[in-house]
Amino acid sequence: GNLEDYEETVKKAKEAWKVWADIPAPKRGEIVRQIGDALRQKIKVLGSLVSLEMGKIYVEGVGEVQEYVDVCDYAVGLSRMIGGPILPSERPGHALIEQWNPVGLVGVITAFNFPVAVYGWNSAIAMICGNACLWKGAPTTSLVSVAVTKIIAKVLEDNKLPGAICSLVCGGADIGTAMARDERMDLLSFTGSTKVGKQVALMVQERFGRSLLELGGNNAIIVFEDADLNLVIPSALFAAVGTAGQRCTTARRLFLHESIHDEVVAKLAKAYAQVRIGDPWDSDTLYGPLHTKEAVKMFLDAVEQAKQQGGSVVCGGKVINRPGNYVEPTIVTGLPHNAPIVHTETFAPILYVLKFKEEEDVFAWNNEVKQGLSSSIFTKDLGRIFRWLGPKGSDCGIVNVNIPTSGAEIGGAFGGEKHTGGGRESGSDSWKLYMRRSTCTINYSKDLPLAQGIKFQ
């Protein structure tokens, strides 16, 4: 799509919103339920398309569509529950209430690595709140964007509603910039790199707009001496190698207590050697290609920098000699916790394994990177678990115990702090981001008492 297409689409989406906003929220929930059912019916073919276009393994592609289905189910229930409180007024004969209304048009810019699920988190919740959506998917996964939009449009049109309630403009940075600068975009949800997210945030803020940012993560798993290694090894493997290291929640740093460091590295290297690499459409494959040739170059550059900064490559580190953007899943040891490459988020399957001795130090090292998305500890110590969850523990939006950094559930709010952007999507009270709040005072008496006891006579 070009800028003329964008202009036409925004106008149609704004018109469609007038229809959608008048529909009662539970009825909007019924439409979202039908969207979930339509996605269920196409889950295998859509999962295949995700795998083909993005490169993740087939089961992850299907799992991603399932996530959208699950968020639709969640949103259906939410459509009968959202609302504000009636608050006690200090003035006799007065009612004080909170009224929540849709913001209007929600722009959604998503990344290549989750070309279905992230739009689902936003659109399902935004829709039941009464908003129209304008989606710009990643340019490299436009087939998925078109397929999903066609499925949604059919449901809307079968219900005699305009398909433009959920509009799509495929395109590059020109479309993204137009969305960020457009005052008609009442909320802009952006998922992508911290670098681009910062540019988006500044453009939106310049017009005093609203943004919801889901940016980078440099996530750590911390393993204490009392950890159950039967949980640690598969957790670290999945978190570091799943989606070929291209999740924002991928584990990039693995802190091991010095007493178990060598044992865990040996076991993890053995597990890495058993990862089945191949065609993502093959049901036996656990690990597919990187998304682009540029990603392969970033991988090689990061491995080289790690070596130059004193790291040792325990396994991996090379490009795989086969068609496609395949690289070896890689483990690097021997680097200090504050090495520049360790503090750099490389969107590739490189795991930096680091030694620690004291709890206080490793908690600080978890927090010293600029991002604050996901974090995990493995321990059986109850006191340590609650210190980890407390004010001096992890500063991330996702703080886990005895599970990996990746694989968040839809029921909780997803997002992170600091350079991760501060946004929250999907569960909990994330719906509030897609609505505007009005505090309303209604005088149903014949008197006019003022607040705080002020007399103005």
Side-chain angles (χ1 to χ4, degrees):
N2 56 32
L3 290 170
E4 288 76 27
D5 298 321
Y6 168 77
E7 187 60 33
E8 182 187 355
T9 307
V10 172
K11 285 176 181 170
K12 286 189 175 174
K14 280 287 193 184
E15 282 300 310
W17 175 75
K18 292 175 185 175
V19 176
W20 188 240
D22 282 339
I23 294 171
K27 292 277 196 323
R28 296 194 295 252
E30 164 58 19
I31 305 298
V32 171
R33 185 194 66 75
Q34 292 176 34
I35 291 169
D37 282 348
L39 290 163
R40 270 188 187 93
Q41 289 164 19
K42 295 278 199 310
I43 194 164
K44 289 184 177 176
V45 68
L46 202 50
S48 294
L49 183 57
V50 171
S51 181
L52 177 70
E53 197 173 27
M54 184 272 156
K56 63 176 62 175
I57 60 174
Y58 169 72
V59 290
E60 284 192 24
V62 171
E64 193 181 328
V65 184
Q66 183 65 50
E67 205 164 337
Y68 193 168
V69 170
D70 292 345
V71 176
C72 285
D73 287 348
Y74 178 86
V76 174
L78 199 59
S79 71
R80 292 182 178 271
M81 294 164 62
I82 55 171
I86 298 173
L87 302 161
S89 173
E90 65 185 64
R91 289 173 279 186
H94 285 58
L96 187 60
I97 66 172
E98 270 187 9
Q99 174 75 25
W100 290 82
N101 284 304
V103 293
L105 179 57
V106 175
V108 186
I109 299 176
T110 60
F112 74 87
N113 60 334
F114 281 88
V116 173
V118 174
Y119 178 64
W121 295 349
N122 282 277
S123 67
I125 306 295
M127 285 181 77
I128 62 103
C129 290
N131 300 296
C133 295
L134 175 61
W135 183 18
K136 187 192 97 66
T140 50
T141 54
S142 54
L143 295 178
V144 170
S145 304
V146 170
V148 170
T149 301
K150 283 193 170 189
I151 291 167
I152 297 168
K154 185 174 189 311
V155 171
L156 289 166
E157 287 161 7
D158 284 350
N159 283 275
K160 307 286 192 292
L161 291 164
I165 290 166
C166 287
S167 294
L168 171 73
V169 180
C170 295
D174 57 337
I175 304 296
T177 301
M179 291 172 77
R181 290 192 170 140
D182 194 339
E183 292 202 349
R184 295 168 298 179
M185 213 59 56
D186 299 293
L187 168 68
L188 185 60
S189 172
F190 174 86
T191 301
S193 71
T194 297
K195 182 183 172 187
V196 178
K198 187 176 183 182
Q199 295 169 350
V200 168
L202 290 169
M203 285 187 273
V204 174
Q205 183 55 45
E206 201 169 42
R207 60 176 175 84
F208 290 108
R210 269 205 220 188
S211 61
L212 192 170
L213 302 173
E214 295 285 357
L215 311 177
N218 192 343
N219 314 296
I221 293 175
I222 302 169
V223 183
F224 286 90
E225 65 274 21
D226 65 339
D228 181 347
L229 297 190
N230 291 325
L231 292 178
V232 169
I233 303 304
S235 292
L237 182 72
F238 172 67
V241 171
T243 327
Q246 298 169 111
R247 290 179 177 228
C248 51
T249 52
T250 292
R252 310 203 180 277
R253 299 175 294 150
L254 177 62
F255 291 105
L256 301 175
H257 190 269
E258 60 182 17
S259 64
I260 56 166
H261 176 276
D262 293 353
E263 181 189 358
V264 173
V265 169
K267 286 184 173 179
L268 199 55
K270 189 177 176 185
Y272 265 54
Q274 294 169 22
V275 172
R276 299 185 299 277
I277 300 169
D279 182 340
W281 266 9
D282 186 333
S283 61
D284 202 41
T285 299
L286 287 180
Y287 175 93
L290 291 178
H291 188 55
T292 59
K293 287 182 170 53
E294 290 77 18
V296 175
K297 185 180 181 303
M298 285 194 315
F299 166 83
L300 290 171
D301 288 348
V303 171
E304 192 53 42
Q305 286 178 53
K307 288 177 184 173
Q308 288 171 6
Q309 291 168 27
S312 301
V313 176
V314 173
C315 64
K318 297 190 288 293
V319 173
I320 298 171
N321 184 21
R322 61 172 290 159
N325 306 313
Y326 286 84
V327 300
E328 295 174 341
T330 301
I331 298 173
V332 177
T333 59
L335 286 165
H337 64 91
N338 56 356
I341 192 62
V342 173
H343 280 226
T344 303
E345 183 197 17
T346 304
F347 228 56
I350 304 171
L351 182 65
Y352 303 110
V353 181
L354 312 150
K355 270 187 196 177
F356 78 92
K357 189 174 184 177
E358 302 295 338
E359 175 191 301
E360 191 177 344
D361 290 337
V362 79
F363 283 8
W365 297 348
N366 174 76
N367 296 346
E368 71 184 356
V369 297
K370 290 192 180 298
Q371 302 89 344
L373 180 52
S374 189
S375 55
S376 300
I377 61 166
F378 284 78
T379 184
K380 298 187 185 89
D381 185 324
L382 198 57
R384 180 181 288 138
I385 289 168
F386 280 94
R387 289 191 294 275
W388 172 242
L389 303 179
K392 294 180 181 176
S394 172
D395 66 358
C396 294
I398 297 168
V399 184
N400 292 336
V401 179
N402 296 329
I403 64 164
T405 52
S406 54
E409 295 184 30
I410 60 123
F414 180 90
E417 303 297 329
K418 303 187 300 191
H419 285 218
T420 300
R424 293 296 186 276
E425 292 170 335
S426 193
S428 185
D429 64 349
S430 299
W431 62 269
K432 291 181 177 179
L433 294 165
Y434 303 91
M435 303 195 84
R436 57 179 179 81
R437 176 191 344 216
S438 306
T439 302
C440 313
T441 309
I442 301 164
N443 180 3
Y444 56 89
S445 74
K446 293 182 178 177
D447 298 316
L448 194 64
L450 300 177
Q452 292 84 48
I454 293 171
K455 303 289 184 195
F456 197 77
Q457 293 169 341

